Amino acid sequence: MRATTVGAGLAAMAMSAMAQVAPMQPPVTPPESTVHPEIWPSPKWPFPTDAATEKRIADLLKRMTVEEKVGQVIQADISAVTPADARKYHLGSILNGGNSAPGGDEFAPAQKWLELADAFYAASVDKSGGGVGIPIIWGTDAVHGHSNIVGATLFPHNIGLGAARDPDLIERIGAATAKEIRVTGMEWTFAPTITVPQDFRWGRAYEGYSSDPAIVSSYAGRMIKGLQGVPGQGTVLSGPHVIASTKHFIADGGTFEGRDQGDARISETELRDIHGAPYVPAIEAGVETVMTSFSSWNGVKIAGHPGLVTDVLKKRMNFGGFVVTDWNAHGQVAGCTNASCPQALLSGIDMYMAPDTWRDIYTSLLAQVKSGQVPMVRLDDAVARILRVKMRMGLFEAGKPSSRPLAGQYALLGAADHRAIAREAVRKSMVLLKNNGSILPIKAGANVLVAGDGADDIGRQSGGWTLTWQGTGVDNSKFPGATSIWKGIEAGVAATGGTATYSPDGSWRGKPDVAIVVFGETPYAEFQGDLKTLQLRPELRKPFETMQKLKAQGIPVVALMITGRPLFVNPALNAADAFVVAWLPGSEGAGVADVLLQRKDRRAAYDFTGKLPVAWPLTADARGPTLFKLGYGLSLADAPVAWKPLSEDPGVKDSDGGGTFLDRGSPVAPVSLYVTDGKADSTRISTMPATALGGKVQITATDHIVQEGARRFDVQQGPAVIELANLDPMDLTRETNGDVLLVMTVRRDSALTGPITLSLTGASGTATVPLGDAKKTPQGQWARVAVPLKCFASAGMAAVGKPFALTIGSGTFSLARVALGTDADVTVPCK
């Protein structure tokens, strides 16, 4: 059998182009990344070739200018493009990234989203300049409901749905999500994620249904059917549907050490049988688009791998839609930059997701096509695929977004029947890991204490990709119609004649009959979510002490864990009488109460039916032993099992700062805090109080949230540099490509004089940003002041040794925290 590295079809295209300049060939992959298409499955594509459609496409291609064709293969983010731009450059698509919204308002009402959709559509079909006027499509990350929109129904994240083991439910969730997307005029969701995560240190692991490809495969086609409808039964836009995008092709869940955008160092057989398996039902369901992964397979980036994209996906697996990259992923292909990457198109990519670099890609690709570096036949093929999808979905006949079925029916956002489906999904996703046999369900009429700081936080229970990219910076007011876990329990207990009290720290006046302690992870998405070990970060472990304290007081404890992945939590498992995994349940917290509580007639309302979609670890070592196997999950009918106390030794060092460099005024290992004069005089600050620069700088402890939770710097004669240095230089390249910020929590305690700057030092040197606005922050008030990481890109982000150096002339200020983040009170733009 012959190994294939370069698509035969691409080679034929290059020969037929007859270009004056020798066309660039797709990159040749090394032997360990060579594919053998003949060993891959060959699913049936459900859409037969339609002669009328093909003639229509051919006619359009004849009429289109090269500028129009290049525009069709580019997707821009709404934060970096206007309708006028879309008209001028003939763009084929727009998207809203996790932090993008109409007018820059992440909490814009649904009406504003629909108005913007109309504006982009009108611009795209405007033929006044003589163009062909191809309608634009809008892509959005509706990954657990229409999750960018205030008031939408938020379903459990995929890992929770994997615990439910219910393909019928998945299809209903897809259908409900599609309806809510259509309300705001969009046509395309970047879902479902059909990754098969194998290492749960990966920060996007919760986007996968399971580590078992069979479970993921059982869901893939059903979710696509719910979103797109049944192939051949009318166009997508004539019904209450949207087009789907499976992602991320391929093996994003199989990277070494679970590193986001990393390298899957696995055999082709593993690649096929684990990570490729869900693409078979997806293709058979007619998924219209596939998004390639940021990641690599044995060192070759997927977006630049013709063997996988063209020879396997398009040819062998018969995928007949179009392929889109992830956010600027083309820039990671060997020999490419964000501004230029002909290799991606030559490898089989049909659309560049170039959110903030679309002008550069347009300019470079136009020149490459005109010079013959990119054959016109390859560009025509990409455009034809995009046009074919647009025609098949009925886009050319659909009219402006606000005129289509369901558009503007805002009552469908968070509709009662959609919330009922989400509540059902919460019930079915919950997994009971421990039960002493007498605690659950909690008896009707009980006096229930609810503790833990996560109990009354809808944003936290919903996780990442919720209104904002990382799911941070939102409070309960941003979720009209939603129910927190606490409110669901409070109402459920009251309905049985009992009483419920919420006390985050577990304190009480009247002794409760039982305590529910809600704990677990806080929201995160890519970059921010990666872990080095499988354990909660230190600041999230306080509820362990709460459980132990309540147990010592003779109060039965139900531990309720909010999490996007299985983690080492043996102290909680030991302390609790019952332990329940709620995963990331979304907007319908009452679904949790449905399973925890008896009804008024003292019968269980619902039993636990959820089963672990992944194995649960015994230690925090990602390669360590298993405590509970995949598929484990108790029901209320199961006989009590004697509990043998677990070791509370995580088995690994606690070495994960999670992108935090300074917390509660203290540096997070392996980072150290220094005060310097920017030259030779440098003092490491390790104890309080301290002095530096010959007494010119006084450092003392001050309060922020907790006692002595910050450091106060009194600079009497500067300039002085407050510097965080990392002994182990870190790679922040991925974070710089995204909308990640360097955020400091700071308080101005007096007037500040002299230039104020923030610097970062990497492999290529130091980049500096002026912070003049810091002088304007209200004196005596804490504020989160941030600078986008991309402002420091020239420093060389692959090896950052000094992530933070704040320089001031003189004055007094306090510093509590320095960390990577995505929301702030003041964001200083790049100059």
Side-chain angles (χ1 to χ4, degrees), residues 277-315:
Y279 282 88
V280 173
I283 290 169
E284 290 176 340
V287 65
E288 290 285 12
T289 70
V290 169
M291 184 186 295
T292 53
S293 179
F294 277 112
S295 59
S296 309
W297 176 49
N298 291 330
V300 179
K301 288 291 181 180
I302 304 301
H305 199 305
L308 283 170
V309 177
T310 296
D311 296 328
V312 169
L313 178 62
K314 289 182 171 180
K315 292 185 177 180

Side-chain angles (χ1 to χ4, degrees), residues 728-749:
D728 183 15
M730 65 196 78
D731 185 352
L732 298 180
T733 305
R734 302 171 304 147
E735 290 84 345
T736 305
N737 183 45
D739 290 330
V740 177
L741 311 171
L742 181 60
V743 186
M744 57 178 168
T745 303
V746 66
R747 182 183 68 198
R748 185 172 62 84
D749 298 320

Side-chain angles (χ1 to χ4, degrees), residues 12-30:
M13 291 175 186
M15 293 180 64
S16 65
M18 303 295 291
Q20 295 298 316
V21 179
M24 175 182 288
Q25 294 298 310
V28 177
T29 58

Side-chain angles (χ1 to χ4, degrees), residues 714-802:
D714 183 2
V715 182
Q716 298 161 10
Q717 184 179 348
V721 183
I722 289 77
E723 181 178 279
L724 294 170
N726 191 351
L727 296 176
D728 183 15
M730 65 196 78
D731 185 352
L732 298 180
T733 305
R734 302 171 304 147
E735 290 84 345
T736 305
N737 183 45
D739 290 330
V740 177
L741 311 171
L742 181 60
V743 186
M744 57 178 168
T745 303
V746 66
R747 182 183 68 198
R748 185 172 62 84
D749 298 320
S750 76
L752 304 178
T753 65
I756 303 175
T757 63
L758 183 62
S759 300
L760 179 148
T761 301
S764 303
T766 299
T768 301
V769 175
L771 291 183
D773 289 347
K775 297 179 182 179
K776 303 175 185 177
T777 57
Q779 185 166 316
Q781 297 182 23
W782 288 99
R784 293 170 302 154
V785 179
V787 177
L789 273 183
K790 63 183 67 175
C791 298
F792 303 108
S794 64
M797 307 301 282
V800 175
K802 294 180 181 178

